[in-house]
Amino acid sequence: MAGRSRKTITPKTRLRILLRDNFRCTNCGRSPATDPAVYLEIDHYKPFSLGGADDDSNYRTLCRLCNRGKGNDEELNKTIDSDLLNVLDRVNSKITLAMATEGHATVVANSEEFAEISKLNRYFDGYVIEILPNTLMGYHAGFSLGIYTLNDNGGSKTQFRIAPRT
Ligand SMILES: [Zn+2]
């Protein structure tokens, strides 16, 4: 976003656009009112250099993730990918190796971690993620079945299969 638009958006314009868009991301519909992690930004979507109008029709409200994810930015995709792999590493450091050698991995993660992974993937879409019926199992049982899981018994879990999109 920074560097894309030359003109700074004044606080007055920012507020006017936020009010017009009901304080929701115009792409995914998320709002800080229901999700405190959402940070809204004003996107100036057609640069002046490309004939973009200098009026409200050229502004829209986007959450930070949608704003970052727009366009096909290779550098950005790599950053999002590495964030996602870090979360998988946190669950079990062998998951990335399994994906590299077998092409996929079956994982049991805390639901919070799963939410983080799917949120990141939504903007980058580098992986095919399939939620599997939840199986409650211990750490060691998981390993013997080829399921990568957390060494932790608390919280709700999500079981899923993840494979790099080819
Ligand atoms: Zn959004």
Side-chain angles (χ1 to χ4, degrees):
M1 177 68 190
R4 203 189 306 252
S5 63
R6 289 210 188 95
K7 197 170 168 175
T8 312
I9 297 165
T10 64
K12 212 173 159 182
T13 300
R14 183 180 149 77
L15 181 61
R16 195 170 61 244
I17 303 300
L18 284 170
L19 282 165
R20 183 198 67 190
D21 295 339
N22 294 316
F23 291 87
R24 306 187 81 83
C25 173
T26 56
N27 186 51
C28 71
R30 294 192 310 148
S31 163
T34 49
D35 182 351
V38 173
Y39 183 85
L40 295 176
E41 298 176 334
I42 303 302
D43 179 38
H44 173 226
Y45 56 101
K46 191 166 181 191
F48 295 113
S49 57
L50 295 176
D54 185 17
D55 61 40
D56 288 2
S57 69
N58 200 21
Y59 293 117
R60 63 181 165 179
T61 303
L62 285 180
C63 71
R64 182 169 282 173
L65 282 172
C66 286
N67 201 14
R68 287 198 321 179
K70 76 172 186 174
N72 231 339
D73 187 330
E74 277 305 308
E75 233 15 71
L76 176 65
N77 283 350
K78 272 188 226 159
T79 307
I80 297 174
D81 189 21
S82 100
D83 284 356
L84 188 151
L85 292 172
N86 281 337
V87 182
L88 285 171
D89 272 350
R90 223 155 66 208
V91 175
N92 190 303
S93 59
K94 295 191 177 84
I95 294 169
T96 47
L97 180 65
M99 284 201 293
T101 55
E102 293 159 48
H104 64 90
T106 302
V107 180
V108 175
N110 280 333
S111 297
E112 294 76 29
E113 261 125 8
F114 175 73
E116 207 177 330
I117 289 163
S118 34
K119 191 161 88 180
L120 287 166
N121 191 51
R122 197 159 134 212
Y123 299 101
F124 152 69
D125 204 28
Y127 297 86
V128 178
I129 296 174
E130 183 193 354
I131 299 180
L132 302 171
N134 242 326
T135 312
L136 290 174
M137 58 178 59
Y139 186 58
H140 296 291
F143 273 148
S144 65
L145 291 168
I147 297 169
Y148 299 91
T149 185
L150 293 153
N151 190 9
D152 123 12
N153 295 314
S156 72
K157 303 279 191 280
T158 301
Q159 183 168 332
F160 61 98
R161 188 177 179 274
I162 182 164
R165 198 176 280 286
T166 47

